[in-house]
């Protein structure tokens, strides 16, 4: 039997063993154009997806800036106005981050907390000009404001209590006022307030914030700093809401009261 006697279905077209001058089928020009359009569209969509993912990944890799406000120099080192510095020092020690770089009018160090890149900073301008340093760091590293945590002392918060907020005004704090001014009035960045209590009697608040802590206050403050370290870890690794719950819950406030 001739090999060309093999037929496909009821159509008398030899399946193999025979030569054909043309293929079984051909596409019309309109069909080919449709396929090419679909392929091109698919390729464009894929490229756009890769580009978006790349941008998101790049954004995720931007560091957090953790900045504590205070005044430079030994004269102010242990004063109430410098608890922001003390919190950053405590974080640096706990996380093994060396703070030996001086730039942008700040003393700072880079490292990781978990797998999150961070910059720890203590501005070396005086408190009232804090924004000069903080603004320069944010601008240079292109850090989103939602990833800038500013830590500072608060006269209106009971001593040794913490309060974490996602945004807000300066509350009369000159360091925060300077930071907000250098952020062009934008207040949408997180801040960790550390209570230093109110001045006794009719003492001038300016004089009070430059006072050192008593021995008992220093012991109590050490627990607050440890809570602050834990709050930061939760913030970076689990998100703002969980950290705010940890810091601001009634139970926590009672523990520190």
């Amino acid at each position: 039997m001739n090999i060309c006697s093999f037929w496909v279905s009821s159509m008398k077209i030899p399946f193999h063993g025979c030569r054909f001058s043309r293929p079984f089928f051909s596409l019309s020009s309109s069909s080919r154009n449709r396929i090419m359009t679909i392929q091109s569209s698919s390729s464009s969509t894929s490229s756009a997806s890769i580009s978006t993912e790349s941008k998101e990944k790049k954004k995720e890799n931007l560091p957090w800036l953790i900045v504590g406000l205070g005044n430079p120099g030994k004269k102010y080192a242990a004063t109430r106005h410098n608890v922001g510095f003390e919190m950053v020092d405590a974080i640096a020690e706990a996380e093994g981050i060396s703070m030996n770089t001086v730039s942008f009018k700040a003393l700072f160090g880079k490292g990781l907390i978990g797998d999150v890149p961070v910059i720890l900073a203590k501005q070396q301008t005086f408190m009232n000009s804090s924004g000069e340093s903080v603004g320069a760091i944010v601008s240079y590293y292109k850090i989103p404001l939602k990833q800038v945590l500013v830590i500072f002392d608060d006269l209106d918060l009971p001593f040794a209590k913490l309060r974490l907020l996602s945004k807000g005004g300066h509350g009369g704090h000159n360091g925060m006022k300077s930071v907000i001014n250098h952020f062009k009035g934008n207040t949408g960045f997180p801040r960790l307030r550390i209570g230093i209590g109110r001045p006794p009697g009719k003492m001038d608040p300016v004089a009070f914030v430059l006072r050192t802590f008593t021995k008992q206050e220093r012991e109590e403050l050490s627990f607050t700093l440890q809570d602050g370290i834990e709050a930061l870890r939760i913030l970076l690794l689990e998100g703002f809401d969980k950290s705010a719950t940890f810091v601001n819950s009634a139970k926590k406030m009672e523990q520190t009261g």
Side-chain angles (χ1 to χ4, degrees), residues 93-122:
E93 183 178 356
E95 301 297 339
I97 298 174
S98 177
M99 296 188 63
N100 54 12
T101 300
V102 179
S103 192
F104 306 105
K105 298 181 180 180
L107 181 65
F108 72 95
K110 299 178 182 179
L112 293 172
I113 295 181
D115 59 353
V116 179
V118 298
I119 296 173
L120 303 181
K122 300 187 295 182

Side-chain angles (χ1 to χ4, degrees), residues 43-207:
S43 177
S44 298
T45 302
S46 178
S47 297
S49 177
I50 292 172
S51 177
T52 301
E53 289 176 2
S54 178
K55 288 180 180 178
E56 289 178 350
K57 186 175 182 180
K58 185 176 180 181
K59 189 174 182 181
E60 288 175 358
N61 288 334
L62 290 173
W64 271 77
L65 172 61
I66 314 300
V67 57
L69 303 186
N71 284 309
K74 293 182 179 180
K75 178 180 178 180
Y76 304 101
T79 63
R80 297 170 188 271
H81 218 22
N82 274 35
V83 291
F85 276 11
E86 290 197 35
M87 179 64 80
V88 169
D89 286 336
I91 293 167
E93 183 178 356
E95 301 297 339
I97 298 174
S98 177
M99 296 188 63
N100 54 12
T101 300
V102 179
S103 192
F104 306 105
K105 298 181 180 180
L107 181 65
F108 72 95
K110 299 178 182 179
L112 293 172
I113 295 181
D115 59 353
V116 179
V118 298
I119 296 173
L120 303 181
K122 300 187 295 182
Q123 42 52 249
Q124 296 299 289
T125 64
F126 281 97
M127 180 70 85
N128 293 2
S129 302
S130 297
E132 294 179 13
S133 172
V134 179
I137 297 173
V138 169
S139 177
Y140 182 82
Y141 289 101
K142 296 179 173 58
I143 304 172
L145 291 191
K146 67 179 182 179
Q147 290 180 207
V148 178
L149 176 68
V150 182
I151 306 171
F152 63 100
D153 59 294
D154 193 335
L155 280 166
D156 295 324
L157 200 60
F159 179 76
K161 291 186 178 181
L162 299 174
R163 184 65 58 83
L164 179 64
L165 300 172
S166 61
K167 59 183 178 179
H170 53 71
H173 191 284
N174 288 330
M176 283 294 287
K177 187 182 296 184
S178 177
V179 170
I180 291 171
N181 285 341
H182 279 78
F183 287 167
K184 299 180 179 180
N186 194 325
T187 60
F189 58 93
R191 68 282 312 276
L192 181 63
R193 297 159 51 196
I194 305 175
I196 59 172
R198 297 294 305 176
K202 296 182 179 180
M203 178 180 283
D204 181 2
V206 174

